[in-house]
Amino acid sequence: FTGICGTDIHILHGEYKVYPPVVTGHEFAGQVVEVGRGVTRFKPGDRVTCIPFFRVCGKCPFCRHGEINLCLDRKSAGTHVNGAFARYVLMTESSMYSIPQGVSYEEAALSEPLAFNVWGVLMKTRILPQDTVLVSGPGTIGLLATQCAKAAGATVITAGTVGDDHRLGVAKEVGADLTVDVSRESLLRAVMDVTKGCGVDIAIECSGAAPSVAQCVDAVRKGGQITQMGLFSSAVPVDLNKVALKELTVHGIFATRPVSWDRALEMLGKGDVRTKPLISSKLPLSQWETAFNSFGKGKEIKILLYPDE
């Protein structure tokens, strides 16, 4: 199973660089059918999911500091080399992780966005149990961010907009303490009511929409943190005066790191985070165009594609 990601939609519209000809798809899980010489950790029949890094150089300053997601010569499945919108995908042994017992292929296909959230929300952002966290955007990333923040013990407000009724319902199902439809009520008023006029400690922007960024900057308290998870179709304006005057810390998050994968899969195996409620459709690869059109309209949360029989 391979999930359609927001990045795949950006690729479709020429908004994210890829190196064609290439098969896209980077959120996936499946069964090993064949291994090369020298492979010792996996065998045919094993259930695996994969970090999409096909190759990193291991030599640049970023690799040498463990920042392999920032490698100057990183090659990734779905952008540089063939990805998983296919019956078979070739990956390196070092990129593979065993799926925890009791976790289905469908659930494990969301390991990559979960590991992304573990890296961004739990490892790079400092969340304390007494914190109040705003998650802006109830898509896959936002719903996983909601769960990660709850796992850290925070009070979580998840915000959406027009057409997000179902997604906000899922947010409540997976643990959000409060959901806000910003098209119907003031997000800032709701935040100030919950925080007694101070603002949230942390705002996590997951929608990739310009208005959301402004709302996050306004909603976060003085000395708070903003974590940018979503990607935008084009450059967006940010009022840096507010960042300075409020002494905000801003974190940018791009891709994942191996250190976040073990923790993500452990959380998935223990049920600390659930990916199944986020899966809204499963379609065969032959219906990829229908799936992409549906996802692009914002009517789905996570669509999975699988090989036709």
Side-chain angles (χ1 to χ4, degrees):
F1 287 90
T2 305
I4 298 177
C5 172
T7 302
D8 296 314
I9 303 300
H10 286 304
I11 291 171
L12 179 67
H13 296 297
E15 298 164 350
Y16 188 89
K17 189 173 183 178
V18 293
Y19 298 84
V22 67
V23 176
T24 54
H26 61 274
E27 302 177 356
F28 58 97
Q31 184 183 80
V32 176
V33 295
E34 186 177 344
V35 298
R37 288 178 297 177
V39 173
T40 59
R41 294 194 301 117
F42 298 97
K43 63 184 184 305
D46 284 351
R47 303 182 332 121
V48 298
T49 182
C50 301
I51 187 171
F53 303 164
F54 188 82
R55 190 189 76 190
V56 294
C57 73
K59 301 175 183 178
C60 70
F62 303 104
C63 284
R64 289 171 63 85
H65 285 88
E67 302 168 334
I68 67 170
N69 56 319
L70 304 178
C71 172
L72 295 175
D73 193 30
R74 175 165 64 88
K75 307 299 182 187
S76 294
T79 51
H80 303 88
V81 300
N82 286 337
F85 287 139
R87 178 173 292 276
Y88 301 102
V89 59
L90 175 68
M91 292 299 293
T92 56
E93 181 181 23
S94 61
S95 70
M96 294 168 58
Y97 294 82
S98 296
I99 297 174
Q101 188 174 1
V103 176
S104 68
Y105 286 119
E106 295 96 323
E107 293 167 309
L110 276 70
S111 298
E112 194 274 343
L114 175 56
F116 173 64
N117 269 277
V118 169
W119 169 239
V121 176
L122 295 182
M123 293 184 166
K124 200 162 185 184
T125 307
R126 301 177 304 280
I127 298 180
L128 300 175
Q130 67 267 29
D131 284 341
T132 300
V133 176
L134 168 65
V135 176
S136 183
T140 297
I141 299 302
L143 293 171
L144 291 172
T146 295
Q147 296 185 69
C148 286
K150 286 301 298 181
T155 298
V156 180
I157 303 168
T158 305
T161 188
V162 176
D164 282 337
D165 290 354
H166 172 64
R167 294 180 176 192
L168 290 174
V170 175
K172 290 289 286 185
E173 179 186 345
V174 298
D177 297 281
L178 175 68
T179 59
V180 179
D181 180 343
V182 301
S183 69
R184 297 173 181 171
E185 59 180 307
S186 167
L187 175 61
L188 191 58
R189 186 178 301 117
V191 163
M192 293 307 171
D193 285 345
V194 171
T195 62
K196 297 180 172 57
C198 290
V200 295
D201 300 285
I202 297 158
I204 303 173
E205 203 296 303
C206 301
S207 70
S212 174
V213 178
Q215 289 177 341
C216 286
V217 173
D218 288 339
V220 74
R221 66 167 173 82
K222 293 180 180 179
Q225 303 176 70
I226 296 177
T227 298
Q228 183 61 47
M229 307 280 284
L231 291 178
F232 303 93
S233 300
S234 58
V236 300
V238 178
D239 188 345
L240 290 180
N241 282 333
K242 291 182 179 179
V243 173
L245 292 171
K246 296 175 78 172
E247 290 197 354
L248 303 180
T249 299
V250 180
H251 305 283
I253 310 298
F254 177 67
T256 63
R257 295 186 186 178
V259 68
S260 67
W261 276 75
D262 290 331
R263 187 171 178 184
L265 290 169
E266 180 183 14
M267 293 177 72
L268 190 58
K270 289 182 176 180
D272 295 336
V273 173
R274 295 183 294 148
T275 58
K276 188 174 183 179
L278 281 58
I279 300 170
S280 50
S281 295
K282 294 179 285 187
L283 294 170
L285 276 167
S286 60
Q287 296 183 34
W288 71 269
E289 194 166 8
T290 297
F292 268 67
N293 287 337
S294 180
F295 185 87
K297 292 176 181 177
K299 302 299 183 183
E300 306 269 0
I301 301 177
K302 178 60 64 178
I303 303 176
L304 300 180
L305 296 178
Y306 59 88
D308 296 73
E309 296 297 329

